[in-house]
Amino acid sequence: MGIYTDLAREAREINPDILGVTEQEEQIGDVNISRIEVQSQQASDELQKPCGRYITIEAPTLSNRDTQVFKQVGELISKEFMSLLPNQGQNISVLVVGLGNRGITADALGPRVVEKIFVTRHITEHLPDIIGKPMRAVAAVAPGVLGTTGVETLEMLRGLVERVKPDAVVAVDALASRRAARISTAIQLTDTGIHPGSGVGNSRMGLTKESLGVPVVAIGVPTVVYASTISQDTIQLIAQEAGMNEEAEKMLNLADQVISEHYGPMIVTPKDIDTVINDMAGIIADGINIGLHREYYSQVEELLA
Amino acid sequence: MGIYTDLAREAREINPDILGVTEQEEQIGDVNISRIEVQSQQASDELQKPCGRYITIEAPTLSNRDTQVFKQVGELISKEFMSLLPNQGQNISVLVVGLGNRGITADALGPRVVEKIFVTRHITEHLPDIIGKPMRAVAAVAPGVLGTTGVETLEMLRGLVERVKPDAVVAVDALASRRAARISTAIQLTDTGIHPGSGVGNSRMGLTKESLGVPVVAIGVPTVVYASTISQDTIQLIAQEAGMNEEAEKMLNLADQVISEHYGPMIVTPKDIDTVINDMAGIIADGINIGLHREYYSQVEELLA
Amino acid sequence: MGIYTDLAREAREINPDILGVTEQEEQIGDVNISRIEVQSQQASDELQKPCGRYITIEAPTLSNRDTQVFKQVGELISKEFMSLLPNQGQNISVLVVGLGNRGITADALGPRVVEKIFVTRHITEHLPDIIGKPMRAVAAVAPGVLGTTGVETLEMLRGLVERVKPDAVVAVDALASRRAARISTAIQLTDTGIHPGSGVGNSRMGLTKESLGVPVVAIGVPTVVYASTISQDTIQLIAQEAGMNEEAEKMLNLADQVISEHYGPMIVTPKDIDTVINDMAGIIADGINIGLHREYYSQVEELLA
Amino acid sequence: MGIYTDLAREAREINPDILGVTEQEEQIGDVNISRIEVQSQQASDELQKPCGRYITIEAPTLSNRDTQVFKQVGELISKEFMSLLPNQGQNISVLVVGLGNRGITADALGPRVVEKIFVTRHITEHLPDIIGKPMRAVAAVAPGVLGTTGVETLEMLRGLVERVKPDAVVAVDALASRRAARISTAIQLTDTGIHPGSGVGNSRMGLTKESLGVPVVAIGVPTVVYASTISQDTIQLIAQEAGMNEEAEKMLNLADQVISEHYGPMIVTPKDIDTVINDMAGIIADGINIGLHREYYSQVEELLA
């Protein structure tokens, strides 16, 4: 069907019967947390997602912009995020990488999160006693995109990781979803890193333990959908309601071709994406900041204000 | 079919046989200019567009971001824009109004154009001789939207128009189109003013000669589409290709209902809307500035740099 | 001496012996609140400040960017601000006006505050029962400056005030101080409105009860100093330390002339003005929002998130 | 006297008699170009500027914001800039580095220039034939500052330079001047790299050929002055006019102490710094872009629009 998604949860929805995948769901009030583990290479190939853990937090009430829900989801992210770090010790160092183009709102989630990260690496190096207890060393960069820097993100980060030697990289990026409704309401966390483009094949160019030499936890939020998936979903929904199996099959077979001829690979985002990015950047930065600095959060907040 | 569009050209495409409408097309290189006049009240009711003139400039090559095309389209806008002003004398005064919410990129076209307008009203009042010839008096405001000001745009502008007493208002706004392809490539100019929402019924709340007391020329660019129209278009295209008239009819009848249940009134914009708004704001401001100040353009440009 | 200041407290410091002025100081922790009332026309002429009340909140620890101090000062502003409103009833309506040019950081305090104001006028008009108790009707506009709109601020606001009919206007503006140290640490509130430029003479062009027809409370923060005052202060300080009365007198007499020849009317702002404006806009908006909506603050915050 | 300046021209003005320095001046219309070469280690120590070439372009008419002057100065920068590159061949690669904090306007010159650089490295690598002749490979990054990334700029760049292997680094930064009048009107170019802080001593932490392994051309614009220099200059000017040598000497001796007690190390910038940074970023980016891509400038401009 040629439907692309960055979310393991959606890949799984489309292929619910593949073996080698474990799934678990948890409901906390209005928030759903799904935990998927891709365990076999065959499952990985079929889902087009590398082996590893995928946690999706879905909070439909986020779109109401209620500050209580923002806080709740930030807290949930902080816990899930820390659970994906291979080492959670108080002396670890972490490099937060905000991927994407800060000039394109729908792609600016990463850089906006980086602006809100409590950066402490220079304090731990130069003023280790200022806090009075061990503090995790956090650095944060937004390396830009190939089109505006002329340098591949991986090239940019390899040299940096060699010098900063973090215990883990946390990569934040905007994702493509199959369902527009997930844009303001879902967050995916994974220990498999970032795999740009459509699959796991070119993992050499992704940001992964293999390419960077340190574990990479990725946190992403859907911000765009392919226009074609909106049409495909509609046809399927109509076909279901009308019981038109045969005709729908025929139409879906034509859809890809017709859509790509008339629309091209059009990628869309909600009209209010500015608000979504702003809210989500705050929630994810809260999750990372609270997770890494929980023990002395209020102190750090003041110190770095 | 419940399909909404702000473009008279699209309303006409859907209803090509309605009487009381004149149409004319002109092709200049890659640029198409369509001139529609809605002449009878019946045509107005059926197209849901007030009587008056609608000029649509379509330049598909704008999406290549070629500066030569930008200049060409700016020049075309300047001519069409001036042709819609009832009085083009050298002593007129014009109030440019940038509608929309500057915090929502897809809605920020108006405020961004206003930032680029050569404002001269204070110069003509206080330093009339600085240029050495008559200069049109241009003022420019971005009044914000009800949700962020608490004041209706019309309330905001009525008092201002009473005091500034311009010969014409030029209102710039972002529009909704039926076709995503028009988002970066079409500009509509009309002498009928601005009619918020879906029709001509509530003209009392629009920005029109009736409500403001002076002629209102509106310039708009499509920046958003209803997600539902993407689906509806796809179904129609598929049905055409496959010759599935009956089933398609059935599907289209279901589409509205299914889409509104599953998507709600979702409005989308292209992923690169930041770039589109930036380019289009520059082109439209060029059109207005050149049109109003052609006689001493280089001088004014310097004076107001 | 030709020293200009927007702060009544500074005008008083320079002229401590003028009659017709009452003064009172209060110290709350690190925060100093001074309350000055200019009571006679003669005092007004000598201080170049109109008759009325001037409250200056000075919090030197604001420059440490401690969130606790931000909250404390926001709360103090809310009380002093409300005390200056002639009518504090639950049914009043208020128009908040953010003066200044949003494109010049040091002048952008007003527009930035307006972005953070809880606007409720449209809710009280259209959905009066949504909160369940009376809610003050708050509107907010940033009218821009003459150079970018071509329209005098007073012209812009008169028409608006006539239509919106608020019980009071609250005008927020950036001020000029004599002392750079006050830039990130002082807030002046007054019931005398806004008097642009150097004096009380041209009150016709100010934003005052006389010009707008409703009471005007002004809230301002020093963001700029004249470069010449930095020099003049230095000379005075040196003269004091060195006991060089005669030579200092001679130098101060020359200072004005020399400075204006060599520097012109240079106005400077601290290097980190972006941070100052951001912090101060938040604190002042908090003060206004809490003051006007204290009874249902948490509800409104949620409603308008 | 403890007066700090980043401009070799100003250091020379204060110490006009030091040996081991060559100077040359050229006047082109309203523009003055000064070329200083620090040739001996002793001169370097006394001027606190490393050995090498320093070109200062001063164009007082830049502050009038005349687009013709902008173009003229951009063209002059392009020539002087290219003359400082050790290798000007058509096949060289260049890494443009925009230093400074994009969130502090007065410090944002570097990042703003980077946004306007024509980046071609990815095109030369992946599509070498698109232009039809050799094209210099230009990459551009804005690495941020220690306080927001937690990583020293030098650490950040070393890894990048090792991988990108440019023939030269071009570092753009905001400078401190002794004279506020130079802020909107002077550009310094040098082949000695960047030396943060007050001297040449800690060249290890600077961005230089020694620390990065490739030649570093630095382009800077004064954007800030120490408040204390405004006072010191005033005292000197007054003393000169009044012929008060003895008293002035006494005052200047006290100035440092009095100023640092009462003002601290206050650094100021003109009120309209937003406009200055915007204009200067455009002019410097023009200079770099034209210099590196002159042969096919119009083509590249179109290609990268």
Side-chain angles (χ1 to χ4, degrees):
Chain A
M1 279 299 301
I3 290 171
Y4 177 67
T5 173
D6 282 317
L7 296 178
R9 181 169 171 69
E10 292 186 342
R12 181 60 174 172
E13 282 170 357
I14 303 167
N15 304 282
D17 302 323
I18 289 173
L19 297 179
V21 179
T22 65
E23 283 178 275
Q24 185 218 322
E25 300 230 359
E26 188 181 352
Q27 189 76 24
I28 302 172
D30 292 332
V31 182
N32 178 282
I33 303 182
S34 113
R35 295 185 180 83
I36 290 174
E37 187 163 352
V38 178
Q39 293 178 314
S40 73
Q41 190 53 46
Q42 193 183 333
S44 166
D45 293 346
E46 293 187 56
L47 292 177
Q48 294 285 301
K49 298 291 160 216
C51 290
R53 296 155 65 196
Y54 298 86
I55 298 163
T56 308
I57 299 173
E58 285 184 86
T61 52
L62 276 176
S63 57
N64 301 339
R65 312 194 60 212
D66 179 327
T67 48
Q68 289 309 310
V69 179
F70 286 5
K71 278 184 195 168
Q72 181 197 7
V73 174
E75 184 64 33
L76 290 171
I77 290 172
S78 76
K79 283 177 190 148
E80 302 297 336
F81 158 58
M82 291 302 284
S83 81
L84 292 175
L85 285 184
N87 175 353
Q88 291 117 23
Q90 279 302 331
N91 291 304
I92 61 168
S93 75
V94 169
L95 174 62
V96 180
V97 176
L99 300 169
N101 183 343
R102 84 175 66 232
I104 301 293
T105 305
D107 199 30
L109 180 75
R112 296 279 180 88
V113 167
V114 157
E115 287 173 11
K116 296 172 197 280
I117 291 296
F118 289 164
V119 168
T120 55
R121 181 172 174 267
H122 52 315
I123 299 176
T124 60
E125 288 206 347
H126 300 298
L127 301 163
D129 299 328
I130 202 167
I131 290 283
K133 18 187 166 171
M135 180 164 62
R136 295 186 180 102
V138 179
V141 296
V145 296
L146 180 63
T148 63
T149 64
V151 185
E152 292 279 2
T153 304
L154 181 57
E155 281 179 281
M156 200 85 93
L157 292 178
R158 266 188 183 147
L160 187 58
V161 166
E162 275 167 23
R163 292 185 177 274
V164 170
K165 299 193 201 319
D167 293 290
V169 162
V170 178
V172 182
D173 202 5
L175 305 179
S177 165
R178 287 199 62 245
R179 293 191 182 279
R182 286 206 168 97
I183 284 184
S184 46
T185 62
I187 300 105
Q188 173 175 280
L189 303 100
T190 174
D191 60 4
T192 61
I194 295 276
H195 300 266
S198 60
V200 294
N202 58 348
S203 71
R204 194 179 41 85
M205 289 304 292
L207 305 181
T208 61
K209 188 168 181 181
E210 288 70 46
S211 66
L212 285 176
V214 297
V216 180
V217 172
I219 305 181
V221 169
T223 64
V224 295
V225 291
Y226 284 84
S228 55
T229 68
I230 296 177
S231 296
Q232 290 171 327
D233 282 1
T234 311
I235 294 169
Q236 280 185 316
L237 287 167
I238 294 170
Q240 268 168 29
E241 299 242 347
M244 296 192 308
N245 291 333
E246 206 180 316
E247 296 87 348
E249 192 70 20
K250 212 161 140 193
M251 293 190 95
L252 282 169
N253 286 340
L254 277 165
D256 261 8
Q257 177 199 330
V258 166
I259 291 167
S260 70
E261 266 172 34
H262 287 265
Y263 286 95
M266 194 173 67
I267 300 175
V268 297
T269 192
K271 185 188 171 183
D272 65 343
I273 186 65
D274 307 77
T275 307
V276 169
I277 293 291
N278 198 41
D279 289 349
M280 281 294 188
I283 293 169
I284 291 175
D286 274 1
I288 295 173
N289 288 330
I290 294 172
L292 290 171
H293 304 299
R294 186 179 300 278
E295 287 75 12
Y296 39 86
Y297 190 74
S298 59
Q299 264 176 285
V300 172
E301 196 172 19
E302 212 152 282
L303 198 69
L304 300 171
Chain B
M1 279 299 300
I3 290 172
Y4 177 67
T5 173
D6 281 317
L7 296 178
R9 181 167 170 70
E10 293 187 342
R12 180 60 173 172
E13 281 170 357
I14 302 167
N15 304 281
D17 303 323
I18 290 173
L19 297 179
V21 180
T22 65
E23 282 177 276
Q24 183 218 324
E25 301 230 358
E26 186 181 355
Q27 189 76 23
I28 303 171
D30 293 332
V31 182
N32 177 282
I33 302 182
S34 115
R35 294 185 181 82
I36 289 174
E37 187 163 353
V38 178
Q39 294 177 315
S40 72
Q41 190 54 45
Q42 191 184 336
S44 167
D45 293 344
E46 294 187 56
L47 293 176
Q48 293 286 300
K49 299 290 160 217
C51 290
R53 295 156 66 197
Y54 299 86
I55 299 163
T56 307
I57 299 173
E58 284 184 86
T61 53
L62 275 176
S63 58
N64 301 340
R65 311 194 60 212
D66 179 327
T67 50
Q68 289 311 309
V69 179
F70 286 5
K71 277 184 196 169
Q72 182 198 5
V73 175
E75 185 63 34
L76 290 171
I77 291 173
S78 77
K79 282 177 192 147
E80 302 297 335
F81 157 59
M82 291 303 285
S83 80
L84 292 175
L85 285 183
N87 175 353
Q88 290 117 25
Q90 279 303 331
N91 290 305
I92 61 167
S93 76
V94 169
L95 172 63
V96 180
V97 176
L99 300 169
N101 182 344
R102 83 175 66 232
I104 301 292
T105 305
D107 197 31
L109 180 75
R112 297 278 180 88
V113 167
V114 158
E115 287 172 12
K116 296 170 196 282
I117 290 297
F118 289 164
V119 168
T120 56
R121 181 171 174 268
H122 53 315
I123 299 176
T124 60
E125 289 209 344
H126 300 296
L127 301 163
D129 299 329
I130 201 166
I131 290 282
K133 18 188 165 169
M135 180 164 61
R136 294 187 180 101
V138 179
V141 295
V145 295
L146 179 63
T148 63
T149 64
V151 184
E152 292 279 1
T153 304
L154 181 57
E155 279 179 284
M156 200 86 93
L157 292 178
R158 266 187 183 149
L160 187 59
V161 166
E162 276 168 22
R163 291 184 178 274
V164 171
K165 299 193 201 318
D167 294 291
V169 162
V170 178
V172 182
D173 202 5
L175 305 178
S177 166
R178 286 200 63 244
R179 293 192 183 276
R182 287 204 168 100
I183 283 183
S184 46
T185 63
I187 300 103
Q188 173 174 281
L189 303 99
T190 175
D191 61 4
T192 61
I194 295 275
H195 301 266
S198 59
V200 295
N202 57 347
S203 70
R204 192 181 39 87
M205 289 304 291
L207 305 182
T208 62
K209 188 167 182 183
E210 289 70 45
S211 65
L212 285 176
V214 297
V216 180
V217 172
I219 305 180
V221 169
T223 64
V224 295
V225 290
Y226 284 84
S228 55
T229 68
I230 297 177
S231 297
Q232 290 171 327
D233 282 1
T234 311
I235 294 169
Q236 280 185 316
L237 288 166
I238 294 170
Q240 268 170 28
E241 299 243 345
M244 294 193 307
N245 291 334
E246 203 182 318
E247 296 87 348
E249 193 70 21
K250 212 161 137 193
M251 292 191 97
L252 283 168
N253 285 340
L254 277 165
D256 262 8
Q257 176 198 332
V258 166
I259 290 166
S260 70
E261 264 172 36
H262 287 265
Y263 287 95
M266 193 172 68
I267 299 174
V268 297
T269 192
K271 185 188 170 183
D272 66 343
I273 186 66
D274 306 77
T275 308
V276 169
I277 292 292
N278 199 40
D279 290 350
M280 283 294 189
I283 294 168
I284 290 175
D286 274 2
I288 296 173
N289 288 330
I290 294 171
L292 290 171
H293 304 299
R294 185 179 301 277
E295 287 75 12
Y296 39 86
Y297 190 74
S298 61
Q299 262 176 286
V300 171
E301 196 173 21
E302 212 152 283
L303 198 71
L304 300 173
Chain C
M1 279 296 299
I3 290 171
Y4 177 66
T5 173
D6 281 318
L7 296 178
R9 180 168 171 70
E10 293 186 342
R12 180 59 174 172
E13 282 170 357
I14 302 168
N15 305 282
D17 302 323
I18 290 172
L19 297 179
V21 179
T22 64
E23 281 177 276
Q24 183 217 324
E25 300 230 1
E26 186 180 355
Q27 189 76 24
I28 303 171
D30 293 332
V31 182
N32 178 282
I33 304 181
S34 111
R35 294 184 180 84
I36 289 174
E37 188 162 353
V38 178
Q39 294 177 314
S40 73
Q41 190 53 46
Q42 192 184 335
S44 166
D45 292 346
E46 294 187 57
L47 294 177
Q48 294 286 301
K49 298 292 159 214
C51 290
R53 294 156 66 198
Y54 298 87
I55 298 164
T56 308
I57 299 173
E58 284 184 87
T61 52
L62 275 175
S63 58
N64 301 339
R65 313 194 60 214
D66 179 327
T67 48
Q68 289 310 311
V69 178
F70 287 6
K71 278 184 196 168
Q72 183 198 3
V73 175
E75 184 64 33
L76 289 171
I77 291 172
S78 77
K79 283 177 192 148
E80 302 297 336
F81 157 58
M82 291 303 285
S83 80
L84 293 174
L85 286 183
N87 175 354
Q88 291 117 23
Q90 280 303 330
N91 290 306
I92 61 168
S93 76
V94 169
L95 173 63
V96 180
V97 176
L99 300 169
N101 182 343
R102 81 175 68 233
I104 301 293
T105 305
D107 197 32
L109 181 76
R112 297 279 180 86
V113 167
V114 158
E115 287 173 11
K116 296 171 196 279
I117 292 296
F118 289 164
V119 168
T120 55
R121 180 172 174 266
H122 53 315
I123 300 176
T124 59
E125 289 207 344
H126 300 296
L127 301 162
D129 299 329
I130 202 168
I131 292 282
K133 17 188 167 170
M135 181 163 64
R136 294 188 179 100
V138 179
V141 296
V145 295
L146 179 63
T148 62
T149 64
V151 184
E152 292 279 1
T153 304
L154 181 58
E155 279 179 283
M156 200 85 92
L157 292 178
R158 265 185 184 150
L160 187 59
V161 166
E162 275 167 23
R163 290 182 181 276
V164 170
K165 299 194 201 320
D167 293 290
V169 162
V170 178
V172 181
D173 202 4
L175 305 179
S177 166
R178 287 199 61 244
R179 296 191 180 277
R182 285 206 168 97
I183 285 183
S184 47
T185 62
I187 299 105
Q188 174 175 280
L189 303 101
T190 174
D191 59 4
T192 61
I194 295 276
H195 301 266
S198 58
V200 295
N202 58 346
S203 71
R204 193 180 40 86
M205 289 305 291
L207 305 181
T208 61
K209 188 166 181 183
E210 288 68 45
S211 66
L212 286 176
V214 297
V216 180
V217 173
I219 304 180
V221 169
T223 65
V224 295
V225 290
Y226 284 85
S228 54
T229 68
I230 297 178
S231 296
Q232 289 171 325
D233 282 1
T234 310
I235 293 170
Q236 279 185 314
L237 287 167
I238 294 172
Q240 268 170 27
E241 300 242 346
M244 294 193 309
N245 290 334
E246 204 180 319
E247 296 87 348
E249 193 70 21
K250 211 161 141 194
M251 294 191 96
L252 284 168
N253 285 340
L254 277 164
D256 262 8
Q257 177 199 331
V258 167
I259 291 166
S260 70
E261 264 171 37
H262 286 265
Y263 286 95
M266 192 174 66
I267 299 174
V268 297
T269 191
K271 185 187 171 186
D272 66 342
I273 186 65
D274 307 77
T275 308
V276 169
I277 293 292
N278 199 41
D279 290 348
M280 282 295 189
I283 293 168
I284 291 175
D286 274 1
I288 296 172
N289 289 330
I290 294 173
L292 291 171
H293 304 300
R294 186 180 298 278
E295 287 74 13
Y296 39 86
Y297 190 74
S298 59
Q299 262 175 286
V300 171
E301 195 173 21
E302 213 151 283
L303 198 72
L304 301 172
Chain D
M1 278 298 299
I3 290 171
Y4 177 67
T5 172
D6 282 317
L7 296 179
R9 182 170 170 69
E10 293 186 342
R12 180 59 173 172
E13 282 170 358
I14 302 168
N15 305 281
D17 303 324
I18 290 173
L19 297 179
V21 180
T22 65
E23 282 177 278
Q24 184 218 321
E25 300 229 3
E26 187 181 353
Q27 189 76 23
I28 304 172
D30 292 332
V31 182
N32 178 282
I33 303 182
S34 113
R35 293 185 181 83
I36 289 174
E37 188 164 353
V38 179
Q39 293 176 316
S40 73
Q41 190 54 45
Q42 193 185 334
S44 166
D45 292 345
E46 293 188 58
L47 293 176
Q48 293 286 300
K49 298 290 160 216
C51 290
R53 296 157 64 198
Y54 297 86
I55 299 162
T56 307
I57 300 172
E58 284 184 87
T61 51
L62 275 176
S63 58
N64 302 339
R65 311 194 61 212
D66 178 328
T67 50
Q68 289 310 310
V69 179
F70 286 4
K71 277 184 197 169
Q72 182 197 6
V73 175
E75 184 63 36
L76 290 171
I77 291 172
S78 78
K79 283 176 192 148
E80 302 296 337
F81 157 58
M82 291 303 284
S83 81
L84 292 176
L85 285 183
N87 175 353
Q88 291 117 24
Q90 279 302 329
N91 290 305
I92 61 168
S93 76
V94 169
L95 174 62
V96 180
V97 176
L99 299 169
N101 182 344
R102 83 174 67 232
I104 301 292
T105 305
D107 197 30
L109 180 75
R112 297 278 180 87
V113 167
V114 158
E115 287 172 12
K116 297 171 196 280
I117 291 296
F118 288 164
V119 168
T120 55
R121 181 172 174 266
H122 54 313
I123 300 175
T124 59
E125 288 208 345
H126 300 297
L127 301 162
D129 299 330
I130 203 167
I131 290 282
K133 20 187 165 171
M135 181 164 61
R136 295 187 181 102
V138 178
V141 295
V145 295
L146 179 64
T148 62
T149 64
V151 184
E152 292 278 1
T153 304
L154 181 57
E155 280 180 283
M156 200 86 92
L157 292 178
R158 266 187 184 150
L160 187 59
V161 166
E162 274 167 24
R163 292 184 179 276
V164 170
K165 298 192 200 322
D167 293 291
V169 162
V170 178
V172 182
D173 202 5
L175 305 179
S177 166
R178 286 199 63 243
R179 293 191 183 278
R182 287 207 166 97
I183 283 184
S184 47
T185 62
I187 300 105
Q188 173 175 280
L189 303 99
T190 175
D191 60 4
T192 61
I194 294 275
H195 300 267
S198 58
V200 296
N202 57 347
S203 71
R204 193 179 40 87
M205 289 305 291
L207 305 182
T208 62
K209 189 167 181 183
E210 290 69 46
S211 65
L212 285 176
V214 298
V216 180
V217 172
I219 304 179
V221 170
T223 64
V224 294
V225 291
Y226 284 84
S228 54
T229 69
I230 296 177
S231 296
Q232 289 171 328
D233 282 2
T234 311
I235 293 170
Q236 279 185 316
L237 288 166
I238 294 171
Q240 268 170 29
E241 299 242 347
M244 296 194 306
N245 291 334
E246 203 181 320
E247 295 87 348
E249 193 71 22
K250 210 161 141 196
M251 293 191 97
L252 282 168
N253 286 340
L254 276 166
D256 261 7
Q257 177 199 331
V258 166
I259 290 166
S260 70
E261 264 171 36
H262 286 265
Y263 286 95
M266 194 173 66
I267 300 174
V268 298
T269 191
K271 185 187 171 185
D272 66 343
I273 186 66
D274 306 77
T275 308
V276 170
I277 292 291
N278 199 40
D279 289 350
M280 282 294 186
I283 293 168
I284 291 175
D286 274 2
I288 296 173
N289 288 331
I290 294 172
L292 290 171
H293 304 300
R294 185 178 301 277
E295 286 75 13
Y296 39 87
Y297 190 74
S298 60
Q299 263 176 285
V300 172
E301 195 173 22
E302 213 152 281
L303 196 72
L304 300 172

